[in-house]
Amino acid sequence: AAPGAAATVDDLPLRENLRGKSAYGAPQLTVPVQLNTNENPHPPTKALVDDVAEAVREAARELHRYPDRDAVALRTDLADYLTRQTGVPVTVDNVWAANGSNEILQQLLQAFAGPGRSAMGFVPSYSMHPIISDGTDTTWLPVLRGADFALDVDAAVAAITEQRPDVVFVTSPNNPTGHSIPIAALRLLLDAASGIVIVDEAYAEFSDAPSALTLIDEYPTKLVVSRTMSKAFAFAGGRLGYLAAAPAFVEALLLVRLPYHLSVVTQAAARAALRHADETLGSVHALAAERVRVSKALADTGFHVIPSDANFILFGEFADSAAAWQAYLDRGVLIRDVGIPGFLRTTVGLASENDAFIAASDEIATMYL
Ligand code: PMP
């Protein structure tokens, strides 16, 4: 046994609010069809791989020096990309970057939440929002979504007004349900909020809904839009998340970020990947078409399918979703049990992967629907 293995977590002087909690745990299994973490299934092109390799080789000459603490060149490239993708002109001063949008969210809670403060989310939603709240000792205030998991805007406004959270999380499109929030509804939440509103747009490129970026100028002290290169951008392994907000937010985050948090290698690789944005995002249309195809196949088989604006689909209703999840795995298809009784979530994959998923679904429907 490893030295010290006799001690358990319960034996440690862990902070009270972390006792008994579970770690983030999407299973990482090697199976033929992996549709469980909402990645882009298209591997990088040879041109992108070559460009990243060359950029990292160049950067390696400077490995004895710390990286640019403020990642100015990378943030400039991200601002250009956001301006092109959303049509909202943003500059380097509006953009901050970190190791995945999870780190962006953590830095935001470090600065704007923490002990004695609270964060609200509309559940079911992204499971890391409560986990990052726990990690920063922020009180988590869950509010249930309405029928078919759509955001009930009136109930959301009422909850914000009554509970006055320091941070409101709005995920659009929402993981795991796939709904986008219209700008008009977002305005109502922003008007009701006394603290900040983080719009988590991890899946924005998959949706035709306008980005919350259009509201930054109107709500400079409240609105933060979080984004990532992990999903549509096919860069999950590169770990690069970012946000857009009024420049004051970027200044605030400098107070909590660790110096040099983005390595020389990360910055160089992300900039190289950004140069290939157009070819990478070319796969987004194909994935949207596959989403329509898979949704229809599931509905035709008799499943209840939640309409999705993203690269994943929530579907049910299973008599026993845990057993159904295992039945998919037994057929070599790894999907996600997000903890909603009766429902499972599949990521839209390559056509051949989706075919395998649909074939498994046809069999599993006869067993568990
Ligand atoms: N937000 C949402 C809604 C997500 O689904 C995810 C990834 N599952 C993230 C943020 C974090 O992704 P990353 O840290 O890779 O940017």
Side-chain angles (χ1 to χ4, degrees):
T8 71
V9 173
D10 290 338
D11 299 324
L12 304 179
L14 188 65
R15 219 167 56 209
E16 243 1 275
N17 81 303
L18 294 177
R19 288 189 180 276
K21 295 278 161 73
S22 310
Y24 178 83
Q28 288 197 298
L29 306 172
T30 306
V31 297
V33 181
Q34 298 188 19
L35 301 174
N36 72 327
T37 46
N38 298 345
E39 295 143 327
N40 187 327
H42 297 275
T45 61
K46 178 169 185 315
L48 189 153
V49 171
D50 288 348
D51 205 4
V52 167
E54 187 48 38
V56 170
R57 162 184 281 278
E58 267 309 301
R61 296 173 194 276
E62 295 295 321
L63 277 175
H64 60 310
R65 301 291 182 196
Y66 281 111
D68 174 7
R69 245 186 347 243
D70 298 336
V72 171
L74 171 60
R75 285 163 54 211
T76 304
D77 292 350
L78 288 166
D80 290 347
Y81 165 70
L82 272 181
T83 301
R84 271 188 286 131
Q85 205 266 330
T86 66
V88 181
V90 289
T91 78
V92 58
D93 297 329
N94 296 111
V95 174
W96 180 244
N99 295 284
S101 52
N102 284 328
E103 189 179 29
I104 289 285
L105 301 177
Q106 176 167 281
Q107 290 181 347
L108 284 166
L109 291 202
Q110 284 177 317
F112 296 100
R117 292 192 169 205
S118 60
M120 177 176 285
F122 306 103
V123 298
S125 188
Y126 180 39
S127 63
M128 280 304 295
H129 296 160
I131 292 177
I132 296 171
S133 297
D134 286 342
T136 55
D137 203 355
T138 302
T139 302
W140 173 243
L141 303 172
V143 176
L144 282 178
R145 288 173 166 263
D148 258 6
F149 310 113
L151 184 69
D152 179 339
V153 178
D154 292 340
V157 166
I160 293 170
T161 309
E162 277 161 31
Q163 302 185 55
R164 299 178 61 80
D166 298 283
V167 174
V168 176
F169 283 105
V170 183
T171 314
S172 182
N174 186 50
N175 175 12
T177 65
H179 305 83
S180 294
I181 179 164
I183 293 291
L186 197 52
R187 264 208 187 88
L188 297 176
L189 304 191
L190 281 155
D191 288 336
S194 48
I196 71 167
V197 176
I198 302 174
V199 183
D200 184 339
E201 289 193 352
Y203 301 95
E205 287 95 341
F206 293 107
S207 164
D208 293 329
S211 167
L213 248 68
T214 54
L215 296 177
I216 286 176
D217 208 25
E218 215 174 308
Y219 297 94
T221 61
K222 286 188 182 179
L223 176 60
V224 178
V225 183
S226 165
R227 289 228 171 178
T228 182
M229 290 176 68
S230 295
K231 307 299 180 180
F233 224 93
F235 197 68
R239 308 306 300 130
L240 205 291
Y242 55 104
L243 63 74
F249 273 102
V250 175
E251 269 182 61
L253 292 186
L254 294 178
L255 302 171
V256 298
R257 65 88 185 272
L258 297 176
Y260 319 112
H261 66 301
L262 284 174
S263 79
V264 166
V265 170
T266 299
Q267 294 187 39
R271 292 191 70 202
L274 276 164
R275 288 195 284 276
H276 296 264
D278 291 345
E279 70 199 56
T280 305
L281 294 177
S283 63
V284 166
H285 295 291
L287 289 169
E290 280 294 295
R291 173 182 73 212
V292 172
R293 181 173 78 91
V294 175
S295 298
K296 183 168 183 313
L298 286 171
D300 289 349
T301 307
F303 286 102
H304 179 42
V305 180
I306 308 298
S308 170
D309 227 7
N311 66 331
F312 49 80
I313 301 162
L314 189 68
F315 67 106
E317 289 200 43
F318 296 100
D320 180 345
S321 38
W325 179 84
Q326 184 61 50
Y328 278 99
L329 191 55
D330 293 343
R331 287 160 180 77
V333 180
L334 177 61
I335 61 172
R336 191 77 182 275
D337 183 351
V338 287
I340 306 174
F343 286 85
L344 295 172
R345 187 195 71 195
T346 187
T347 302
V348 178
L350 301 172
S352 57
E353 297 172 322
N354 298 330
D355 288 344
F357 166 74
I358 291 167
S361 299
D362 287 344
E363 286 178 30
I364 291 166
T366 64
M367 302 157 62
Y368 292 105
L369 267 196

